Amino acid sequence: MQFGIFTVSDVTTDPVTGRTPDDTQRVRDILTIAEHADQAGLDVFATGEHHNPPFVASSPTTMLGYLAGRTKNITLSTSTTLITTNDPVRIAEEYAMLQVISDGRMDLMMGRGNTGPVYPWFGQDIRQGVNLAIENYALVRQLWENDVVNWQGKFRTPLQGFTSTPRPLDGVPPFVWHGSIRTPEIAEQAAYYGDGFLHNNIFWPIQHTEQMVGLYRQRFEHYGHGRADQAIVGLGGQFFARKNSQDAIDEFRPYFDNAPVYGHGPSMEDFTEQTPLTVGSPQQVIDRYAAMKDHVGHYQRQLFLVDHAGLPLKTVLEQIDILAEDIVPELRKINEEGRPEGVPSNPPSHADRVAAAMAAGTLGSDHVAAEDEWTGASV
């Protein structure tokens, strides 16, 4: 099973020191965090995509392309690639380029984002959010899978005889996750294509996560991609840990109380009870996240948010070390216990996807996708 971290790239004042990093420092800190995660032996680093303050991760492929040259083993991903407001041609080209640069050590997660004003900033209508996600992703798939694309849709100009460059590495597109916390249509879309589904449930009770993942698994099997328990699932999470649980609570409380995303709202105790946020000892984190599979089944990727709310860089690096040394080894063992035969431990790697394409005889073939009423493409 894969364990890693993701960043939302917020620029937040440290409530203890009163210091606020500028955008340049925050970007450089994120790069340091990603490199440290690789050195610590974590499996995944993922970045969000935002185009407004107080966030700085406006160009994920630039960041991940740099990290491809600076890291050795870690999978580079996104915790959101905005499928609704980015042009699908640019998505197809930029992530194929990242795939080539990283030698396949990447994947990405399509999402609609959580910032409503981004739609008019990029000339789109938020009321068309789901329809944009469906049509744009159908076009991205065609651009990756077909050498020459003739296409016409509702939300962008038609394409005639268009070839997206560079072509995907080894003729196999990147693996795609679809991220949604509340929209069943996105779980349906992920299932339709046989892609991964990541429920970034950092603000949600586990019962809601269980329902969304259950829908995705059911529809994955319905579309003939395998058994429901073989569907590729990821979860989000948050923790702050110290060897002594009271030390963790005391240290993290001012950051929680002043965080833009949940500060001045529920108490930390209420929030940790109702969401996956866990503040305490490494064993408490292990116990909390070991129980996730009891609700969603055996899954393949667990990401944690560790660098938010103004936490200083030194503290974030310490949290990564605690995660890698004290938490992940135990969670790996626990999550492999009782895993049913045929249920993958990890999402498919690039090598896995190449082998599958060769076995299916589709490597190098030029598919022509026919439209259907739901996704705009055929299975």
Side-chain angles (χ1 to χ4, degrees):
M1 184 169 166
Q2 290 184 339
F3 293 90
I5 60 172
F6 72 99
T7 182
V8 295
S9 77
D10 60 307
V11 178
T12 303
T13 299
D14 184 327
V16 175
T17 66
R19 296 175 185 155
T20 306
D22 61 20
D23 287 0
T24 298
Q25 187 60 55
R26 182 68 171 110
V27 169
R28 290 174 178 168
D29 285 352
I30 292 171
L31 297 176
T32 299
I33 289 165
E35 292 183 55
H36 191 79
D38 180 52
Q39 295 159 5
L42 295 181
D43 301 307
V44 185
F45 169 79
T47 175
E49 178 185 347
H50 291 276
H51 298 277
N52 58 294
F55 307 101
V56 295
S58 59
S59 181
T61 52
T62 304
M63 181 179 291
L64 298 178
Y66 171 86
L67 289 170
R70 297 283 298 182
T71 58
K72 295 181 179 179
N73 300 306
I74 201 163
T75 295
L76 303 169
S77 188
T78 58
S79 48
T80 306
T81 295
L82 295 177
I83 187 63
T84 46
T85 50
N86 283 306
D87 179 54
V89 174
R90 294 299 298 153
I91 291 178
E93 292 187 333
E94 290 180 357
Y95 285 94
M97 179 69 79
L98 177 62
Q99 187 192 34
V100 170
I101 289 172
S102 66
D103 197 26
R105 187 164 48 92
M106 57 78 67
D107 54 33
L108 69 157
M109 187 179 78
M110 302 294 186
R112 293 177 297 138
N114 59 6
T115 307
V118 73
Y119 284 83
W121 294 340
F122 290 88
Q124 300 295 350
D125 183 346
I126 192 172
R127 294 170 295 183
Q128 296 294 329
V130 171
N131 293 330
L132 281 161
I134 291 168
E135 181 177 296
N136 285 354
Y137 183 59
L139 177 54
V140 169
R141 291 277 298 223
Q142 290 195 41
L143 291 166
W144 278 338
E145 294 174 356
N146 304 323
D147 288 338
V148 180
V149 172
N150 297 299
W151 179 90
Q152 184 169 352
K154 178 180 178 181
F155 297 109
R156 79 173 314 280
T157 54
L159 298 173
Q160 295 182 345
F162 181 79
T163 298
S164 173
T165 60
R167 303 305 299 144
L169 180 67
D170 300 319
V172 175
F175 182 70
V176 172
W177 301 81
H178 299 258
S180 179
I181 55 176
R182 58 186 176 272
T183 308
E185 292 91 335
I186 302 304
E188 178 84 13
Q189 184 185 35
Y192 180 86
Y193 286 104
D195 294 338
F197 179 68
L198 195 144
H199 193 268
N200 192 8
N201 55 322
I202 58 175
F203 298 128
W204 292 85
I206 191 61
Q207 293 80 8
H208 175 76
T209 302
E210 186 175 354
Q211 289 180 335
M212 288 290 287
V213 173
L215 171 63
Y216 160 68
R217 289 189 182 280
Q218 176 190 1
R219 301 303 288 171
F220 180 94
E221 182 172 301
H222 167 80
Y223 287 117
H225 299 298
R227 304 192 314 257
D229 64 351
Q230 294 174 317
I232 306 300
V233 173
L235 298 182
Q238 299 179 86
F239 77 92
F240 187 89
R242 293 297 186 194
K243 292 189 182 300
N244 180 287
S245 60
Q246 190 60 51
D247 290 343
I249 292 169
D250 293 343
E251 184 176 351
F252 189 66
R253 188 178 298 280
Y255 294 95
F256 177 91
D257 288 345
N258 292 278
V261 289
Y262 39 50
H264 313 289
S267 69
M268 189 168 73
E269 286 73 17
D270 287 343
F271 202 87
T272 54
E273 180 182 350
Q274 297 170 20
T275 79
L277 174 65
T278 305
V279 182
S281 68
Q283 189 59 52
Q284 287 175 296
V285 178
I286 292 167
D287 292 343
R288 187 76 176 278
Y289 284 88
M292 293 296 175
K293 71 178 187 301
D294 297 335
H295 298 275
V296 303
H298 285 269
Y299 61 113
Q300 288 73 35
R301 177 175 287 183
Q302 176 69 62
L303 299 181
F304 294 97
L305 177 62
V306 298
D307 73 325
H308 62 127
L311 287 166
L313 177 62
K314 177 177 179 292
T315 302
V316 173
L317 300 184
E318 291 169 351
Q319 292 299 300
I320 290 172
D321 290 337
I322 292 171
L323 177 63
E325 296 169 12
D326 300 330
I327 297 172
V328 164
E330 291 302 313
L331 283 178
R332 283 197 202 281
K333 287 189 282 188
I334 292 168
N335 277 282
E336 291 313 306
E337 294 172 357
R339 188 177 289 268
E341 184 178 355
V343 174
S345 297
N346 298 306
S349 66
H350 178 70
D352 294 335
R353 289 170 62 76
V354 170
M358 292 181 66
T362 59
L363 197 62
S365 63
D366 192 24
H367 303 291
V368 178
E371 288 191 3
D372 69 83
E373 63 181 5
W374 183 248
T375 65
S378 62
V379 175

